[in-house]
Amino acid sequence: MDIKQLIYLCNLERERHFGRAAEASFVSQPTLSMRLKNLEGELGLSLINRSNNFAGFTPEGERVLAWAREIVSVYQGLKLEVESLKHGVNGTLRLGVMPQCSVSLPALLKAVEFRYPQLDYRISVLSADQLLEALNSHTVDVGIGFFELATLRELHLQASLLADRGVEAIFHPDHFPQLMQEERLTLRSLATLPLCLAEPTRYFRRYLDSAFREAEIAPRVIVESASIMQLLQSAQVGLGILVGPVGHLHPETLLRLEQRQIQLPAMTRQAALVIAEAGRATPLAQHFFDEARRHLPG
């Protein structure tokens, strides 16, 4: 058994397809299949359900896979540590983020760049469940999202909580001048106005929908998108009013737009920056986490 076999196994889990797993492993499909069969022979276990295509892992395969993830994560962490000893902190940090999460991520990365200018970033936009799974399986190094504190403790994740500064309406004053007279808005004041909201599957949207239901208001959602850029551009041209957490957009992106706080109950989940527990987090993730938390809004 060697590290490449375990990497191939982890790539197969991620890709769920022999051909794509081979591409991700930079080997041919016959080579990947042969090395995984060799691993099964060495262990004396059947790890993979095979038909004409990949059909998942056996129960024994799932248990071996859990160890493989840990070993591959430690191995990759060792490689990064060696590189940082030789060249300083550098490499590609894998970030998993939930949309509209109380902090401007580009601004945070720019602040970290001053300390670690050689860091690169690969950013994936994930749902809450996808983010927890990615953190648990070490397919992302750092997560930014809305979490239940009990879940963070249960998974032994290091967390730096993001300040909850409330929710705001972002709008173009030429198209919604009536809102300029208000210092603070209520859901009632938005009830008949066109809104630009995230997809219903997103946690922040579910939080808003719950608040509207409790207030017995059926909002008019004119634009619904997974893309924050589409929502922002819709607000900029006056198509509707963007509703989001205070601070999730960089101020310079709000050119000619106005912001008003909305009176809403606090969210039940807590926005946080998280990584694996100390000792299991990669050195790259730990360096980033320690520096990033210094720049988070209090």
Side-chain angles (χ1 to χ4, degrees):
M1 179 169 54
D2 60 44
I3 191 66
K4 285 188 177 180
Q5 290 170 308
L6 300 182
I7 291 173
Y8 298 163
L9 195 67
C10 291
N11 286 344
L12 181 60
E13 180 201 22
R14 184 178 71 247
E15 301 295 337
R16 316 299 291 185
H17 185 276
F18 284 107
R20 292 195 297 270
E23 289 178 10
S25 304
F26 303 102
V27 296
S28 67
Q29 184 172 333
T31 296
L32 179 128
S33 295
M34 179 191 68
R35 294 302 305 278
L36 291 178
K37 283 183 179 178
N38 289 344
L39 176 61
E40 289 177 312
E42 291 173 37
L43 297 176
L45 294 170
S46 176
L47 305 178
I48 301 164
N49 291 317
R50 291 178 175 86
S51 56
N52 291 332
N53 299 303
F54 173 72
F57 294 94
T58 65
E60 295 82 4
E62 293 285 355
R63 294 183 66 175
V64 171
L65 184 61
W67 282 100
R69 291 194 208 105
E70 293 287 336
I71 294 168
V72 169
S73 176
V74 170
Y75 170 73
Q76 292 173 339
L78 174 61
K79 287 176 63 179
L80 291 170
E81 183 71 7
V82 170
E83 286 299 308
S84 69
L85 290 171
K86 291 192 294 186
H87 308 296
V89 175
N90 71 96
T92 300
L93 191 74
R94 301 165 302 171
L95 285 156
V97 300
M98 290 172 61
Q100 294 186 308
C101 197
S102 307
V103 64
S104 169
L105 179 58
L108 179 62
L109 301 185
K110 184 62 180 176
V112 173
E113 183 190 46
F114 183 79
R115 177 78 181 275
Y116 298 126
Q118 297 183 79
L119 270 183
D120 301 324
Y121 303 97
R122 184 184 304 136
I123 302 171
S124 301
V125 178
L126 304 172
S127 69
D129 291 341
Q130 289 171 335
L131 181 52
L132 285 173
E133 173 60 29
L135 286 163
N136 199 40
S137 63
H138 306 290
T139 55
V140 300
D141 304 301
V142 178
I144 299 178
F146 296 102
F147 303 95
E148 293 178 353
L149 295 182
T151 301
L152 295 180
R153 290 191 292 269
E154 181 182 332
L155 296 177
H156 306 290
L157 295 169
Q158 296 181 71
S160 184
L161 303 184
L162 305 180
D164 182 356
R165 292 178 284 169
V167 177
E168 65 183 359
I170 298 171
F171 61 93
H172 197 296
D174 292 349
H175 297 275
F176 300 98
Q178 68 272 38
L179 299 183
M180 294 295 293
Q181 312 306 316
E182 306 289 336
E183 291 187 8
R184 243 173 125 79
L185 303 176
T186 66
L187 291 184
R188 290 284 172 198
S189 60
L190 300 175
T192 60
L193 300 177
L195 304 181
C196 304
L197 303 181
E199 289 181 324
T201 57
R202 303 299 185 184
Y203 169 74
F204 183 75
R205 172 62 186 279
R206 296 201 306 271
Y207 156 72
L208 290 179
D209 286 347
S210 175
F212 277 115
R213 280 195 304 272
E214 289 185 13
E216 298 182 337
I217 295 172
R220 182 191 173 199
V221 183
I222 192 169
V223 176
E224 195 172 73
S225 177
S227 167
I228 302 301
M229 181 59 70
Q230 294 299 327
L231 298 177
L232 178 60
Q233 289 178 342
S234 297
Q236 286 171 331
V237 300
L239 190 57
I241 299 163
L242 170 58
V243 179
V246 174
H248 85 287
L249 293 173
H250 193 271
E252 291 184 9
T253 66
L254 302 177
L255 183 65
R256 297 195 63 207
L257 294 177
E258 292 289 331
Q259 300 159 270
R260 292 294 185 276
Q261 193 106 8
I262 304 173
Q263 295 177 17
L264 281 171
M267 285 176 268
T268 57
R269 293 187 182 182
Q270 173 68 55
L273 169 74
V274 301
I275 62 172
E277 64 183 329
R280 292 182 64 225
T282 66
L284 205 61
Q286 192 67 60
H287 285 304
F288 175 85
F289 180 79
D290 292 340
E291 179 63 19
R293 65 194 309 183
R294 297 179 54 242
H295 302 282
L296 294 175

